[in-house]
């Protein structure tokens, strides 16, 4: 069976960089945005639509909370969300079956649970996440620290909601992961190197 | 400043073995039961009494929940509990100031926060903890799996209560640790070696 590493992460904790570095050092495949592009290829939906659904915009993708105002349009959207999720499951399973890989986000830890992936979760203190977000900040985005903090919390809330909706598990709870890494006091590079070495040692045995 | 590693752990997750191995590989001091013996040396209390207080027997050591029945005996016990905790703080700080070390439990992550220790937390799935407890089970203790599970939960509940009482923080919550390791699928030996290597690499730089 292939060696699968999944990386869940708080927004701003460096999970994407961690996953990319880990895959690079181990010389194995890395999947992140590639999942979205593959879903687009396999469906009639636009990239933007898939992103909206997959990147957890619950107002658009889960109108099931609308109660009495729930209607056919909502229903279609829920159906399409489910369809995209099913496609995501299929794409992720195909990727995992192809070769060893690192997969970032996308409920991959749950979707691939029968393949017993090594499940990592990255998190950090708010101050550290703000600092990291500033480095990767889009040029046009001029958020104050308070606004950025609100954004970070909102993205994580959406991730948690999405994860829990599809997996029935609580997002970020330690028992659902093999290793939880706080990236506040160590560089992501150092952490990725340490974890990579752990895998290299283990696979030598 | 000395390199301090603190190890918090769920009962049965192998935290003590992990700490011991880590200290051995790194060639640094290891403190666990030594803390209790040092408190005994520095107070007039018996080893058993200190153990009762320090190993979180809340019914004995925290009668503050007794409400209206709260009395002088209770008050004295609370005072003595606090005194033992203060002594514990002093002993732990002295140990940390002496040399590099690994300290297991005892709120050391919080007590030494100004020395910025590397804070590790070990946890595991219940089945794995039961298995580990069976290996270390005292001969006279013939618990069923259900009883053992209850004991494991009870010990952790006591640890959580003790930790929260003195630190004001929630025990086992990821943001209070630098690394949280699930010992279910990997041996404690492997995990200790990986973490030790991380430290050795880092200290070479």
């Amino acid at each position: 069976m292939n060696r699968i590493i999944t990386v869940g992460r708080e927004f701003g904790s460096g999970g994407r960089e961690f996953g990319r570095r880990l895959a690079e050092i181990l010389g194995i495949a890395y999947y992140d945005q590639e999942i979205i592009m593959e879903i687009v290829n396999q469906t009639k939906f636009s990239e933007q639509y898939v992103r909206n659904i997959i990147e957890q915009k619950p107002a658009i993708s889960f109108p099931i909370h609308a109660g009495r105002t729930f209607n056919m349009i909502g229903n279609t959207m829920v159906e399409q969300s489910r369809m995209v999720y099913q496609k995501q499951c299929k794409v992720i399973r195909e990727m995992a079956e192809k070769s060893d890989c690192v997969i970032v986000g996308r409920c991959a830890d749950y979707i691939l649970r029968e393949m017993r992936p090594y499940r990592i979760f990255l998190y950090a203190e708010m101050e550290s996440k703000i600092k990291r977000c500033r480095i990767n900040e889009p040029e046009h985005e001029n958020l104050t620290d308070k606004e950025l903090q609100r954004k970070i919390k909102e993205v994580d809330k959406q991730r948690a909601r999405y994860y829990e909706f599809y997996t029935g598990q609580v997002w970020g709870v330690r028992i659902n992961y093999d290793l939880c890494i706080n990236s506040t006091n160590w560089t992501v590079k150092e952490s990725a190197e340490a974890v990579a070495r752990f895998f290299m040692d283990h696979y030598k045995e």
Side-chain angles (χ1 to χ4, degrees), chain A residues 29-205:
Chain A
Y30 169 74
Y31 299 119
D32 178 8
Q33 298 301 307
E34 295 78 359
I35 297 168
I36 292 177
M37 296 320 295
E38 193 54 34
I39 294 170
V40 170
N41 288 342
Q42 295 193 16
T43 60
K44 62 184 195 307
F45 303 128
S46 71
E47 184 186 335
Q48 194 49 51
Y49 185 79
V50 172
R51 266 186 205 286
N52 273 344
I53 288 179
I54 238 176
E55 285 174 358
Q56 309 102 20
K57 304 278 192 313
I60 297 167
S61 53
F62 305 128
I64 51 165
H65 296 297
R68 284 160 194 257
T69 62
F70 184 81
N71 55 29
M72 278 310 288
I73 298 170
N75 210 359
T76 306
M77 278 168 144
V78 172
E79 278 311 305
Q80 288 190 350
S81 293
R82 281 193 186 278
M83 203 200 291
V84 168
Y85 180 75
Q86 290 308 324
K87 194 59 80 179
Q88 175 177 297
C89 291
K90 185 173 168 281
V91 165
I92 286 176
R93 281 199 202 100
E94 282 168 1
M95 286 168 167
E97 275 158 17
K98 220 189 294 175
S99 67
D100 292 353
C101 61
V102 174
I103 303 178
V104 174
R106 319 267 169 250
C107 309
D109 55 316
Y110 180 82
I111 293 167
L112 300 176
R113 63 196 180 282
E114 280 162 24
M115 296 181 79
R116 302 175 63 83
Y118 190 79
R119 304 154 302 169
I120 299 174
F121 189 87
L122 251 83
Y123 61 100
E125 283 172 20
M126 182 53 82
E127 209 175 314
S128 157
K129 292 191 285 190
I130 288 177
K131 218 166 141 186
R132 185 179 303 276
C133 283
R134 288 275 179 234
I135 297 168
N136 304 319
E137 197 167 32
E139 263 190 39
H140 64 278
E141 201 178 76
N142 290 311
L143 301 179
T144 64
D145 272 9
K146 213 171 160 185
E147 286 166 338
L148 190 49
Q149 187 166 334
R150 206 178 304 133
K151 181 186 166 185
I152 290 169
K153 283 185 182 166
E154 191 48 43
V155 172
D156 280 352
K157 215 186 276 175
Q158 287 169 3
R159 283 182 182 171
R161 225 177 300 167
Y162 182 87
Y163 184 86
E164 285 166 37
F165 184 85
Y166 282 116
T167 69
Q169 291 186 168
V170 182
W171 181 77
V173 160
R174 63 171 188 259
I175 198 64
N176 296 330
Y177 305 93
D178 296 291
L179 193 67
C180 302
I181 301 172
N182 186 340
S183 62
T184 305
N185 296 319
W186 298 81
T187 68
V188 164
K189 185 173 170 281
E190 285 163 340
S191 304
E193 282 167 3
V195 174
R197 185 167 274 192
F198 175 60
F199 278 101
M200 287 189 287
D201 283 354
H202 186 75
Y203 271 74
K204 260 188 213 155
E205 282 167 12

Side-chain angles (χ1 to χ4, degrees), chain A residues 3-25:
Chain A
R3 170 178 49 171
I4 314 296
I5 303 169
T6 63
V7 181
R9 74 291 184 219
E10 286 182 353
F11 185 65
S13 68
R16 184 172 287 180
E17 184 196 335
F18 174 87
R20 196 178 39 74
R21 285 186 182 272
L22 186 56
E24 257 173 35
I25 303 170

